[in-house]
Amino acid sequence: MKIITVDDSSTMRRIIKNTLKRIGYGDEILEAGDGKEALDVLANNSVDLIITDWNMPVMDGLTFVKHIRADSKFDDTPIIMVTTEAAKEDIITALKAGVNNYIVKPFTPDVLKDKIDTVLGKKD
Amino acid sequence: MSQSDIDSLIEEFSKAEKGNIEDIIDEFTQESSEKELLKKESEEDKQTNLKDDGNGSGQEKIKGVRLPENEHRVIDKLDEINRESEEKVNKLFEYLETITDELDKTEKLIQEIKPYMEKHKEFMDFFVEHFPKTVVKNNYEYFKNIIDITKDIENSVSVIRDSVFDAMDTLQFQDITRQKIERVISVIKALHDYLNMWFDSSYEDKPRARVAHTIVDEKEKGKIDQDVEDIIKQMQEKGEI
């Protein structure tokens, strides 16, 4: 399982990486500090799952998701947004843009595992 | 000519009688020239007054008032706080990872010696059962103590690991606090931009993340998580996602 985590906070990237290892999804984890950097990484790598923040400089998470969804190469790649944004309209905007699931920070390992299992179809 | 000047000119044009148009043009040309001249003078004045205080400190002055040094400017200071706290939290994370690595090693060692201890216990069980009056019985009691201590160590390792993981999860609050500070910075920037209109100063800014609209209160987190689930379910039922 190859996963990319996109967040401008190096602390959050570290926490997500560590949590992924703990819940059994830590085989290979790529990192990017913003949406543009993530697109550059994904130009040369394929991944099984994208975990992205929303509020980032240079290219925010929503724009990044729209870029990803506009590329047929990523049609089957699930995206989970992990963000502080908790307003209903923001959640709907993200889901409509192509996000498969949504997590509000701070999250627990159980929540992350549950959401990953859901988007990967490992859960009913 | 600014957009407001152009708008005023268009408005005057639409109101004016045809004969007055030339007068309006003359009047506006003169006004614009005066404005341009005033602006130029203001720029020159600013350049004259924005200079080093002469004592080699590199500190700038406007109209004789000493400006705060860079490290005391609020936005720079807040950025520095964010940067430092992120660095320290990453350092803290490294320490926590070292602890978990050592716990992994300890746990591995315990798992390695466990089969030997089990075998040894079986052996001693046999001896105590068949030769109850030998010295083995005393050693057997010591050995049972060692087994109990090993179990205690194993439990402690598990408790320490859980605590370290909880500590790691708690470090998410650094990111949330950082975003709260970013919100404060955005308010200061808005205030700066407003004042900028009047005082015509400038601030070189770096590209910033969009400021978080909502940052969840810890007490509301359970409800928010449930709301997210409900929204996803509703949208799935409606076929919107």
Side-chain angles (χ1 to χ4, degrees), chain A residues 10-11 14 55 84-86 101 104-107 115, chain B residues 86 90 94 97 172 175 210 212-214 221 229 232:
Chain A
S10 56
T11 310
R14 202 159 192 161
N55 299 320
T84 51
E85 299 296 352
N101 219 313
V104 177
K105 290 176 189 172
F107 64 87
K115 300 277 183 175
Chain B
E86 192 166 342
N90 277 329
E94 273 174 34
E97 281 177 339
Q172 287 180 65
D175 180 51
R210 186 191 73 149
H213 295 159
T214 47
K221 188 62 177 50
E229 288 300 325
I232 292 170

mmCIF file with all atom_site columns, all heavy atoms in Angstrom, chain A residues 10-11 14 55 84-86 101 104-107 115, chain B residues 86 90 94 97 172 175 210 212-214 221 229 232:
data_model
loop_
_atom_site.group_PDB
_atom_site.id
_atom_site.type_symbol
_atom_site.label_atom_id
_atom_site.label_alt_id
_atom_site.label_comp_id
_atom_site.label_asym_id
_atom_site.label_entity_id
_atom_site.label_seq_id
_atom_site.pdbx_PDB_ins_code
_atom_site.Cartn_x
_atom_site.Cartn_y
_atom_site.Cartn_z
_atom_site.occupancy
_atom_site.B_iso_or_equiv
_atom_site.pdbx_formal_charge
_atom_site.auth_seq_id
_atom_site.auth_comp_id
_atom_site.auth_asym_id
_atom_site.auth_atom_id
_atom_site.pdbx_PDB_model_num
ATOM 1   N N   . SER A 1 10  ? 4.892   20.087 8.952  1.00 0.00 ? 10  SER A N   1
ATOM 2   C CA  . SER A 1 10  ? 5.740   18.885 9.013  1.00 0.00 ? 10  SER A CA  1
ATOM 3   C C   . SER A 1 10  ? 5.340   18.021 10.212 1.00 0.00 ? 10  SER A C   1
ATOM 4   O O   . SER A 1 10  ? 5.462   16.796 10.185 1.00 0.00 ? 10  SER A O   1
ATOM 5   C CB  . SER A 1 10  ? 7.211   19.273 9.099  1.00 0.00 ? 10  SER A CB  1
ATOM 6   O OG  . SER A 1 10  ? 7.439   20.116 10.200 1.00 0.00 ? 10  SER A OG  1
ATOM 7   N N   . THR A 1 11  ? 4.826   18.676 11.262 1.00 0.00 ? 11  THR A N   1
ATOM 8   C CA  . THR A 1 11  ? 4.360   17.927 12.439 1.00 0.00 ? 11  THR A CA  1
ATOM 9   C C   . THR A 1 11  ? 3.201   17.013 12.053 1.00 0.00 ? 11  THR A C   1
ATOM 10  O O   . THR A 1 11  ? 3.175   15.830 12.399 1.00 0.00 ? 11  THR A O   1
ATOM 11  C CB  . THR A 1 11  ? 3.880   18.902 13.547 1.00 0.00 ? 11  THR A CB  1
ATOM 12  O OG1 . THR A 1 11  ? 4.869   19.876 13.762 1.00 0.00 ? 11  THR A OG1 1
ATOM 13  C CG2 . THR A 1 11  ? 3.575   18.167 14.814 1.00 0.00 ? 11  THR A CG2 1
ATOM 14  N N   . ARG A 1 14  ? 4.230   14.101 9.983  1.00 0.00 ? 14  ARG A N   1
ATOM 15  C CA  . ARG A 1 14  ? 4.899   13.124 10.835 1.00 0.00 ? 14  ARG A CA  1
ATOM 16  C C   . ARG A 1 14  ? 3.868   12.305 11.634 1.00 0.00 ? 14  ARG A C   1
ATOM 17  O O   . ARG A 1 14  ? 3.994   11.089 11.755 1.00 0.00 ? 14  ARG A O   1
ATOM 18  C CB  . ARG A 1 14  ? 5.809   13.890 11.794 1.00 0.00 ? 14  ARG A CB  1
ATOM 19  C CG  . ARG A 1 14  ? 6.894   13.065 12.334 1.00 0.00 ? 14  ARG A CG  1
ATOM 20  C CD  . ARG A 1 14  ? 8.026   13.910 12.832 1.00 0.00 ? 14  ARG A CD  1
ATOM 21  N NE  . ARG A 1 14  ? 9.158   13.048 13.090 1.00 0.00 ? 14  ARG A NE  1
ATOM 22  C CZ  . ARG A 1 14  ? 10.387  13.464 13.182 1.00 0.00 ? 14  ARG A CZ  1
ATOM 23  N NH1 . ARG A 1 14  ? 10.660  14.718 12.995 1.00 0.00 ? 14  ARG A NH1 1
ATOM 24  N NH2 . ARG A 1 14  ? 11.354  12.630 13.443 1.00 0.00 ? 14  ARG A NH2 1
ATOM 25  N N   . ASN A 1 55  ? -6.053  23.688 4.094  1.00 0.00 ? 55  ASN A N   1
ATOM 26  C CA  . ASN A 1 55  ? -5.407  25.007 4.121  1.00 0.00 ? 55  ASN A CA  1
ATOM 27  C C   . ASN A 1 55  ? -3.892  24.891 3.992  1.00 0.00 ? 55  ASN A C   1
ATOM 28  O O   . ASN A 1 55  ? -3.211  24.543 4.951  1.00 0.00 ? 55  ASN A O   1
ATOM 29  C CB  . ASN A 1 55  ? -5.757  25.725 5.424  1.00 0.00 ? 55  ASN A CB  1
ATOM 30  C CG  . ASN A 1 55  ? -7.248  25.945 5.549  1.00 0.00 ? 55  ASN A CG  1
ATOM 31  O OD1 . ASN A 1 55  ? -7.912  26.276 4.579  1.00 0.00 ? 55  ASN A OD1 1
ATOM 32  N ND2 . ASN A 1 55  ? -7.780  25.738 6.730  1.00 0.00 ? 55  ASN A ND2 1
ATOM 33  N N   . THR A 1 84  ? -8.851  21.219 9.607  1.00 0.00 ? 84  THR A N   1
ATOM 34  C CA  . THR A 1 84  ? -9.527  21.835 10.764 1.00 0.00 ? 84  THR A CA  1
ATOM 35  C C   . THR A 1 84  ? -10.910 22.355 10.372 1.00 0.00 ? 84  THR A C   1
ATOM 36  O O   . THR A 1 84  ? -11.710 22.692 11.237 1.00 0.00 ? 84  THR A O   1
ATOM 37  C CB  . THR A 1 84  ? -8.716  23.041 11.294 1.00 0.00 ? 84  THR A CB  1
ATOM 38  O OG1 . THR A 1 84  ? -8.425  23.897 10.203 1.00 0.00 ? 84  THR A OG1 1
ATOM 39  C CG2 . THR A 1 84  ? -7.441  22.598 11.967 1.00 0.00 ? 84  THR A CG2 1
ATOM 40  N N   . GLU A 1 85  ? -11.153 22.442 9.059  1.00 0.00 ? 85  GLU A N   1
ATOM 41  C CA  . GLU A 1 85  ? -12.424 23.006 8.581  1.00 0.00 ? 85  GLU A CA  1
ATOM 42  C C   . GLU A 1 85  ? -13.583 22.089 8.951  1.00 0.00 ? 85  GLU A C   1
ATOM 43  O O   . GLU A 1 85  ? -13.640 20.946 8.498  1.00 0.00 ? 85  GLU A O   1
ATOM 44  C CB  . GLU A 1 85  ? -12.401 23.188 7.061  1.00 0.00 ? 85  GLU A CB  1
ATOM 45  C CG  . GLU A 1 85  ? -11.337 24.138 6.565  1.00 0.00 ? 85  GLU A CG  1
ATOM 46  C CD  . GLU A 1 85  ? -11.527 25.573 7.050  1.00 0.00 ? 85  GLU A CD  1
ATOM 47  O OE1 . GLU A 1 85  ? -12.571 25.890 7.650  1.00 0.00 ? 85  GLU A OE1 1
ATOM 48  O OE2 . GLU A 1 85  ? -10.618 26.377 6.834  1.00 0.00 ? 85  GLU A OE2 1
ATOM 49  N N   . ALA A 1 86  ? -14.520 22.624 9.763  1.00 0.00 ? 86  ALA A N   1
ATOM 50  C CA  . ALA A 1 86  ? -15.602 21.766 10.229 1.00 0.00 ? 86  ALA A CA  1
ATOM 51  C C   . ALA A 1 86  ? -16.984 22.292 9.860  1.00 0.00 ? 86  ALA A C   1
ATOM 52  O O   . ALA A 1 86  ? -17.992 21.737 10.281 1.00 0.00 ? 86  ALA A O   1
ATOM 53  C CB  . ALA A 1 86  ? -15.497 21.606 11.736 1.00 0.00 ? 86  ALA A CB  1
ATOM 54  N N   . ASN A 1 101 ? -13.664 10.916 1.566  1.00 0.00 ? 101 ASN A N   1
ATOM 55  C CA  . ASN A 1 101 ? -14.033 10.963 2.976  1.00 0.00 ? 101 ASN A CA  1
ATOM 56  C C   . ASN A 1 101 ? -13.337 12.142 3.644  1.00 0.00 ? 101 ASN A C   1
ATOM 57  O O   . ASN A 1 101 ? -12.411 12.718 3.072  1.00 0.00 ? 101 ASN A O   1
ATOM 58  C CB  . ASN A 1 101 ? -13.713 9.651  3.683  1.00 0.00 ? 101 ASN A CB  1
ATOM 59  C CG  . ASN A 1 101 ? -14.808 9.290  4.673  1.00 0.00 ? 101 ASN A CG  1
ATOM 60  O OD1 . ASN A 1 101 ? -15.240 10.125 5.458  1.00 0.00 ? 101 ASN A OD1 1
ATOM 61  N ND2 . ASN A 1 101 ? -15.267 8.053  4.629  1.00 0.00 ? 101 ASN A ND2 1
ATOM 62  N N   . VAL A 1 104 ? -12.004 15.629 10.536 1.00 0.00 ? 104 VAL A N   1
ATOM 63  C CA  . VAL A 1 104 ? -11.725 16.919 11.181 1.00 0.00 ? 104 VAL A CA  1
ATOM 64  C C   . VAL A 1 104 ? -10.634 16.711 12.236 1.00 0.00 ? 104 VAL A C   1
ATOM 65  O O   . VAL A 1 104 ? -10.717 15.805 13.059 1.00 0.00 ? 104 VAL A O   1
ATOM 66  C CB  . VAL A 1 104 ? -13.006 17.499 11.824 1.00 0.00 ? 104 VAL A CB  1
ATOM 67  C CG1 . VAL A 1 104 ? -12.695 18.805 12.550 1.00 0.00 ? 104 VAL A CG1 1
ATOM 68  C CG2 . VAL A 1 104 ? -14.077 17.737 10.767 1.00 0.00 ? 104 VAL A CG2 1
ATOM 69  N N   . LYS A 1 105 ? -9.597  17.575 12.158 1.00 0.00 ? 105 LYS A N   1
ATOM 70  C CA  . LYS A 1 105 ? -8.498  17.510 13.133 1.00 0.00 ? 105 LYS A CA  1
ATOM 71  C C   . LYS A 1 105 ? -8.990  18.023 14.491 1.00 0.00 ? 105 LYS A C   1
ATOM 72  O O   . LYS A 1 105 ? -9.766  18.965 14.503 1.00 0.00 ? 105 LYS A O   1
ATOM 73  C CB  . LYS A 1 105 ? -7.331  18.401 12.693 1.00 0.00 ? 105 LYS A CB  1
ATOM 74  C CG  . LYS A 1 105 ? -6.570  17.924 11.489 1.00 0.00 ? 105 LYS A CG  1
ATOM 75  C CD  . LYS A 1 105 ? -5.525  18.981 11.132 1.00 0.00 ? 105 LYS A CD  1
ATOM 76  C CE  . LYS A 1 105 ? -4.861  18.699 9.808  1.00 0.00 ? 105 LYS A CE  1
ATOM 77  N NZ  . LYS A 1 105 ? -3.983  19.783 9.349  1.00 0.00 ? 105 LYS A NZ  1
ATOM 78  N N   . PRO A 1 106 ? -8.517  17.506 15.581 1.00 0.00 ? 106 PRO A N   1
ATOM 79  C CA  . PRO A 1 106 ? -7.579  16.399 15.704 1.00 0.00 ? 106 PRO A CA  1
ATOM 80  C C   . PRO A 1 106 ? -8.292  15.056 15.545 1.00 0.00 ? 106 PRO A C   1
ATOM 81  O O   . PRO A 1 106 ? -9.465  14.937 15.893 1.00 0.00 ? 106 PRO A O   1
ATOM 82  C CB  . PRO A 1 106 ? -7.049  16.550 17.135 1.00 0.00 ? 106 PRO A CB  1
ATOM 83  C CG  . PRO A 1 106 ? -8.162  17.207 17.886 1.00 0.00 ? 106 PRO A CG  1
ATOM 84  C CD  . PRO A 1 106 ? -8.866  18.080 16.903 1.00 0.00 ? 106 PRO A CD  1
ATOM 85  N N   . PHE A 1 107 ? -7.585  14.068 15.015 1.00 0.00 ? 107 PHE A N   1
ATOM 86  C CA  . PHE A 1 107 ? -8.204  12.762 14.781 1.00 0.00 ? 107 PHE A CA  1
ATOM 87  C C   . PHE A 1 107 ? -7.523  11.709 15.655 1.00 0.00 ? 107 PHE A C   1
ATOM 88  O O   . PHE A 1 107 ? -6.416  11.929 16.156 1.00 0.00 ? 107 PHE A O   1
ATOM 89  C CB  . PHE A 1 107 ? -8.100  12.382 13.302 1.00 0.00 ? 107 PHE A CB  1
ATOM 90  C CG  . PHE A 1 107 ? -6.675  12.202 12.853 1.00 0.00 ? 107 PHE A CG  1
ATOM 91  C CD1 . PHE A 1 107 ? -6.028  10.981 12.983 1.00 0.00 ? 107 PHE A CD1 1
ATOM 92  C CD2 . PHE A 1 107 ? -5.965  13.261 12.308 1.00 0.00 ? 107 PHE A CD2 1
ATOM 93  C CE1 . PHE A 1 107 ? -4.718  10.819 12.575 1.00 0.00 ? 107 PHE A CE1 1
ATOM 94  C CE2 . PHE A 1 107 ? -4.650  13.104 11.902 1.00 0.00 ? 107 PHE A CE2 1
ATOM 95  C CZ  . PHE A 1 107 ? -4.015  11.889 12.038 1.00 0.00 ? 107 PHE A CZ  1
ATOM 96  N N   . LYS A 1 115 ? -11.776 5.357  8.398  1.00 0.00 ? 115 LYS A N   1
ATOM 97  C CA  . LYS A 1 115 ? -12.018 6.083  7.143  1.00 0.00 ? 115 LYS A CA  1
ATOM 98  C C   . LYS A 1 115 ? -11.238 5.434  5.983  1.00 0.00 ? 115 LYS A C   1
ATOM 99  O O   . LYS A 1 115 ? -11.760 5.333  4.874  1.00 0.00 ? 115 LYS A O   1
ATOM 100 C CB  . LYS A 1 115 ? -11.586 7.556  7.285  1.00 0.00 ? 115 LYS A CB  1
ATOM 101 C CG  . LYS A 1 115 ? -12.323 8.302  8.373  1.00 0.00 ? 115 LYS A CG  1
ATOM 102 C CD  . LYS A 1 115 ? -13.651 8.816  7.895  1.00 0.00 ? 115 LYS A CD  1
ATOM 103 C CE  . LYS A 1 115 ? -14.348 9.628  8.981  1.00 0.00 ? 115 LYS A CE  1
ATOM 104 N NZ  . LYS A 1 115 ? -15.584 10.244 8.533  1.00 0.00 ? 115 LYS A NZ  1
ATOM 105 N N   . GLU B 2 86  ? 6.972   24.491 15.792 1.00 0.00 ? 86  GLU B N   1
ATOM 106 C CA  . GLU B 2 86  ? 6.957   23.323 14.895 1.00 0.00 ? 86  GLU B CA  1
ATOM 107 C C   . GLU B 2 86  ? 8.284   22.554 14.998 1.00 0.00 ? 86  GLU B C   1
ATOM 108 O O   . GLU B 2 86  ? 8.288   21.323 15.055 1.00 0.00 ? 86  GLU B O   1
ATOM 109 C CB  . GLU B 2 86  ? 6.700   23.773 13.463 1.00 0.00 ? 86  GLU B CB  1
ATOM 110 C CG  . GLU B 2 86  ? 6.379   22.595 12.540 1.00 0.00 ? 86  GLU B CG  1
ATOM 111 C CD  . GLU B 2 86  ? 5.794   23.022 11.198 1.00 0.00 ? 86  GLU B CD  1
ATOM 112 O OE1 . GLU B 2 86  ? 5.328   24.164 11.084 1.00 0.00 ? 86  GLU B OE1 1
ATOM 113 O OE2 . GLU B 2 86  ? 5.807   22.198 10.280 1.00 0.00 ? 86  GLU B OE2 1
ATOM 114 N N   . ASN B 2 90  ? 8.676   18.796 16.424 1.00 0.00 ? 90  ASN B N   1
ATOM 115 C CA  . ASN B 2 90  ? 9.329   17.740 15.636 1.00 0.00 ? 90  ASN B CA  1
ATOM 116 C C   . ASN B 2 90  ? 10.447  17.077 16.434 1.00 0.00 ? 90  ASN B C   1
ATOM 117 O O   . ASN B 2 90  ? 10.654  15.872 16.353 1.00 0.00 ? 90  ASN B O   1
ATOM 118 C CB  . ASN B 2 90  ? 9.881   18.305 14.330 1.00 0.00 ? 90  ASN B CB  1
ATOM 119 C CG  . ASN B 2 90  ? 8.805   18.380 13.266 1.00 0.00 ? 90  ASN B CG  1
ATOM 120 O OD1 . ASN B 2 90  ? 7.881   17.562 13.256 1.00 0.00 ? 90  ASN B OD1 1
ATOM 121 N ND2 . ASN B 2 90  ? 8.880   19.337 12.381 1.00 0.00 ? 90  ASN B ND2 1
ATOM 122 N N   . GLU B 2 94  ? 10.764  13.246 17.635 1.00 0.00 ? 94  GLU B N   1
ATOM 123 C CA  . GLU B 2 94  ? 11.942  12.371 17.480 1.00 0.00 ? 94  GLU B CA  1
ATOM 124 C C   . GLU B 2 94  ? 12.214  11.607 18.772 1.00 0.00 ? 94  GLU B C   1
ATOM 125 O O   . GLU B 2 94  ? 12.497  10.412 18.742 1.00 0.00 ? 94  GLU B O   1
ATOM 126 C CB  . GLU B 2 94  ? 13.179  13.209 17.134 1.00 0.00 ? 94  GLU B CB  1
ATOM 127 C CG  . GLU B 2 94  ? 13.332  13.454 15.654 1.00 0.00 ? 94  GLU B CG  1
ATOM 128 C CD  . GLU B 2 94  ? 14.476  14.414 15.360 1.00 0.00 ? 94  GLU B CD  1
ATOM 129 O OE1 . GLU B 2 94  ? 15.481  14.396 16.082 1.00 0.00 ? 94  GLU B OE1 1
ATOM 130 O OE2 . GLU B 2 94  ? 14.324  15.199 14.403 1.00 0.00 ? 94  GLU B OE2 1
ATOM 131 N N   . GLU B 2 97  ? 9.701   8.945  19.207 1.00 0.00 ? 97  GLU B N   1
ATOM 132 C CA  . GLU B 2 97  ? 9.985   7.822  18.298 1.00 0.00 ? 97  GLU B CA  1
ATOM 133 C C   . GLU B 2 97  ? 11.142  6.969  18.816 1.00 0.00 ? 97  GLU B C   1
ATOM 134 O O   . GLU B 2 97  ? 11.134  5.745  18.681 1.00 0.00 ? 97  GLU B O   1
ATOM 135 C CB  . GLU B 2 97  ? 10.285  8.345  16.894 1.00 0.00 ? 97  GLU B CB  1
ATOM 136 C CG  . GLU B 2 97  ? 9.009   8.705  16.137 1.00 0.00 ? 97  GLU B CG  1
ATOM 137 C CD  . GLU B 2 97  ? 9.261   9.311  14.760 1.00 0.00 ? 97  GLU B CD  1
ATOM 138 O OE1 . GLU B 2 97  ? 10.365  9.827  14.517 1.00 0.00 ? 97  GLU B OE1 1
ATOM 139 O OE2 . GLU B 2 97  ? 8.331   9.283  13.936 1.00 0.00 ? 97  GLU B OE2 1
ATOM 140 N N   . GLN B 2 172 ? -0.934  16.922 17.652 1.00 0.00 ? 172 GLN B N   1
ATOM 141 C CA  . GLN B 2 172 ? -1.736  17.538 16.583 1.00 0.00 ? 172 GLN B CA  1
ATOM 142 C C   . GLN B 2 172 ? -2.153  18.951 16.968 1.00 0.00 ? 172 GLN B C   1
ATOM 143 O O   . GLN B 2 172 ? -2.424  19.779 16.108 1.00 0.00 ? 172 GLN B O   1
ATOM 144 C CB  . GLN B 2 172 ? -3.006  16.728 16.331 1.00 0.00 ? 172 GLN B CB  1
ATOM 145 C CG  . GLN B 2 172 ? -2.771  15.415 15.623 1.00 0.00 ? 172 GLN B CG  1
ATOM 146 C CD  . GLN B 2 172 ? -4.083  14.681 15.403 1.00 0.00 ? 172 GLN B CD  1
ATOM 147 O OE1 . GLN B 2 172 ? -4.945  15.131 14.671 1.00 0.00 ? 172 GLN B OE1 1
ATOM 148 N NE2 . GLN B 2 172 ? -4.234  13.544 16.047 1.00 0.00 ? 172 GLN B NE2 1
ATOM 149 N N   . ASP B 2 175 ? -0.396  21.905 15.380 1.00 0.00 ? 175 ASP B N   1
ATOM 150 C CA  . ASP B 2 175 ? -0.881  22.352 14.072 1.00 0.00 ? 175 ASP B CA  1
ATOM 151 C C   . ASP B 2 175 ? -2.143  23.205 14.233 1.00 0.00 ? 175 ASP B C   1
ATOM 152 O O   . ASP B 2 175 ? -2.313  24.219 13.552 1.00 0.00 ? 175 ASP B O   1
ATOM 153 C CB  . ASP B 2 175 ? -1.171  21.131 13.193 1.00 0.00 ? 175 ASP B CB  1
ATOM 154 C CG  . ASP B 2 175 ? -1.679  21.540 11.823 1.00 0.00 ? 175 ASP B CG  1
ATOM 155 O OD1 . ASP B 2 175 ? -1.019  22.381 11.180 1.00 0.00 ? 175 ASP B OD1 1
ATOM 156 O OD2 . ASP B 2 175 ? -2.740  21.050 11.397 1.00 0.00 ? 175 ASP B OD2 1
ATOM 157 N N   . ARG B 2 210 ? -4.620  29.447 3.098  1.00 0.00 ? 210 ARG B N   1
ATOM 158 C CA  . ARG B 2 210 ? -5.913  30.061 3.394  1.00 0.00 ? 210 ARG B CA  1
ATOM 159 C C   . ARG B 2 210 ? -6.171  29.888 4.885  1.00 0.00 ? 210 ARG B C   1
ATOM 160 O O   . ARG B 2 210 ? -5.846  28.848 5.460  1.00 0.00 ? 210 ARG B O   1
ATOM 161 C CB  . ARG B 2 210 ? -7.010  29.335 2.603  1.00 0.00 ? 210 ARG B CB  1
ATOM 162 C CG  . ARG B 2 210 ? -8.358  29.977 2.712  1.00 0.00 ? 210 ARG B CG  1
ATOM 163 C CD  . ARG B 2 210 ? -9.440  29.081 2.133  1.00 0.00 ? 210 ARG B CD  1
ATOM 164 N NE  . ARG B 2 210 ? -9.706  27.944 2.993  1.00 0.00 ? 210 ARG B NE  1
ATOM 165 C CZ  . ARG B 2 210 ? -10.904 27.366 3.088  1.00 0.00 ? 210 ARG B CZ  1
ATOM 166 N NH1 . ARG B 2 210 ? -11.905 27.803 2.386  1.00 0.00 ? 210 ARG B NH1 1
ATOM 167 N NH2 . ARG B 2 210 ? -11.079 26.326 3.872  1.00 0.00 ? 210 ARG B NH2 1
ATOM 168 N N   . ALA B 2 212 ? -7.998  29.124 8.258  1.00 0.00 ? 212 ALA B N   1
ATOM 169 C CA  . ALA B 2 212 ? -9.077  28.207 8.635  1.00 0.00 ? 212 ALA B CA  1
ATOM 170 C C   . ALA B 2 212 ? -10.323 28.988 9.028  1.00 0.00 ? 212 ALA B C   1
ATOM 171 O O   . ALA B 2 212 ? -10.243 29.939 9.799  1.00 0.00 ? 212 ALA B O   1
ATOM 172 C CB  . ALA B 2 212 ? -8.620  27.339 9.790  1.00 0.00 ? 212 ALA B CB  1
ATOM 173 N N   . HIS B 2 213 ? -11.481 28.575 8.483  1.00 0.00 ? 213 HIS B N   1
ATOM 174 C CA  . HIS B 2 213 ? -12.742 29.227 8.856  1.00 0.00 ? 213 HIS B CA  1
ATOM 175 C C   . HIS B 2 213 ? -13.152 28.801 10.252 1.00 0.00 ? 213 HIS B C   1
ATOM 176 O O   . HIS B 2 213 ? -13.563 29.583 11.075 1.00 0.00 ? 213 HIS B O   1
ATOM 177 C CB  . HIS B 2 213 ? -13.869 28.814 7.894  1.00 0.00 ? 213 HIS B CB  1
ATOM 178 C CG  . HIS B 2 213 ? -13.663 29.276 6.497  1.00 0.00 ? 213 HIS B CG  1
ATOM 179 N ND1 . HIS B 2 213 ? -14.277 28.704 5.419  1.00 0.00 ? 213 HIS B ND1 1
ATOM 180 C CD2 . HIS B 2 213 ? -12.889 30.272 5.987  1.00 0.00 ? 213 HIS B CD2 1
ATOM 181 C CE1 . HIS B 2 213 ? -13.903 29.323 4.313  1.00 0.00 ? 213 HIS B CE1 1
ATOM 182 N NE2 . HIS B 2 213 ? -13.064 30.271 4.633  1.00 0.00 ? 213 HIS B NE2 1
ATOM 183 N N   . THR B 2 214 ? -13.062 27.495 10.457 1.00 0.00 ? 214 THR B N   1
ATOM 184 C CA  . THR B 2 214 ? -13.554 26.938 11.718 1.00 0.00 ? 214 THR B CA  1
ATOM 185 C C   . THR B 2 214 ? -12.492 26.047 12.319 1.00 0.00 ? 214 THR B C   1
ATOM 186 O O   . THR B 2 214 ? -11.919 25.226 11.625 1.00 0.00 ? 214 THR B O   1
ATOM 187 C CB  . THR B 2 214 ? -14.800 26.068 11.468 1.00 0.00 ? 214 THR B CB  1
ATOM 188 O OG1 . THR B 2 214 ? -14.519 25.207 10.384 1.00 0.00 ? 214 THR B OG1 1
ATOM 189 C CG2 . THR B 2 214 ? -16.024 26.886 11.191 1.00 0.00 ? 214 THR B CG2 1
ATOM 190 N N   . LYS B 2 221 ? -15.949 17.943 19.416 1.00 0.00 ? 221 LYS B N   1
ATOM 191 C CA  . LYS B 2 221 ? -15.347 17.071 18.412 1.00 0.00 ? 221 LYS B CA  1
ATOM 192 C C   . LYS B 2 221 ? -16.224 15.859 18.069 1.00 0.00 ? 221 LYS B C   1
ATOM 193 O O   . LYS B 2 221 ? -16.401 15.520 16.904 1.00 0.00 ? 221 LYS B O   1
ATOM 194 C CB  . LYS B 2 221 ? -13.957 16.624 18.905 1.00 0.00 ? 221 LYS B CB  1
ATOM 195 C CG  . LYS B 2 221 ? -13.146 15.877 17.870 1.00 0.00 ? 221 LYS B CG  1
ATOM 196 C CD  . LYS B 2 221 ? -12.849 16.745 16.665 1.00 0.00 ? 221 LYS B CD  1
ATOM 197 C CE  . LYS B 2 221 ? -11.975 16.080 15.635 1.00 0.00 ? 221 LYS B CE  1
ATOM 198 N NZ  . LYS B 2 221 ? -12.323 14.773 15.180 1.00 0.00 ? 221 LYS B NZ  1
ATOM 199 N N   . GLU B 2 229 ? -20.060 12.262 9.265  1.00 0.00 ? 229 GLU B N   1
ATOM 200 C CA  . GLU B 2 229 ? -20.611 10.967 8.830  1.00 0.00 ? 229 GLU B CA  1
ATOM 201 C C   . GLU B 2 229 ? -22.011 11.153 8.229  1.00 0.00 ? 229 GLU B C   1
ATOM 202 O O   . GLU B 2 229 ? -22.332 10.578 7.193  1.00 0.00 ? 229 GLU B O   1
ATOM 203 C CB  . GLU B 2 229 ? -20.695 9.997  10.020 1.00 0.00 ? 229 GLU B CB  1
ATOM 204 C CG  . GLU B 2 229 ? -19.352 9.468  10.491 1.00 0.00 ? 229 GLU B CG  1
ATOM 205 C CD  . GLU B 2 229 ? -18.598 8.698  9.410  1.00 0.00 ? 229 GLU B CD  1
ATOM 206 O OE1 . GLU B 2 229 ? -19.243 8.016  8.600  1.00 0.00 ? 229 GLU B OE1 1
ATOM 207 O OE2 . GLU B 2 229 ? -17.364 8.818  9.357  1.00 0.00 ? 229 GLU B OE2 1
ATOM 208 N N   . ILE B 2 232 ? -21.859 12.824 4.733  1.00 0.00 ? 232 ILE B N   1
ATOM 209 C CA  . ILE B 2 232 ? -21.399 11.864 3.715  1.00 0.00 ? 232 ILE B CA  1
ATOM 210 C C   . ILE B 2 232 ? -22.520 10.889 3.363  1.00 0.00 ? 232 ILE B C   1
ATOM 211 O O   . ILE B 2 232 ? -22.801 10.635 2.194  1.00 0.00 ? 232 ILE B O   1
ATOM 212 C CB  . ILE B 2 232 ? -20.142 11.107 4.200  1.00 0.00 ? 232 ILE B CB  1
ATOM 213 C CG1 . ILE B 2 232 ? -18.950 12.071 4.294  1.00 0.00 ? 232 ILE B CG1 1
ATOM 214 C CG2 . ILE B 2 232 ? -19.800 9.940  3.278  1.00 0.00 ? 232 ILE B CG2 1
ATOM 215 C CD1 . ILE B 2 232 ? -17.729 11.516 4.982  1.00 0.00 ? 232 ILE B CD1 1
#
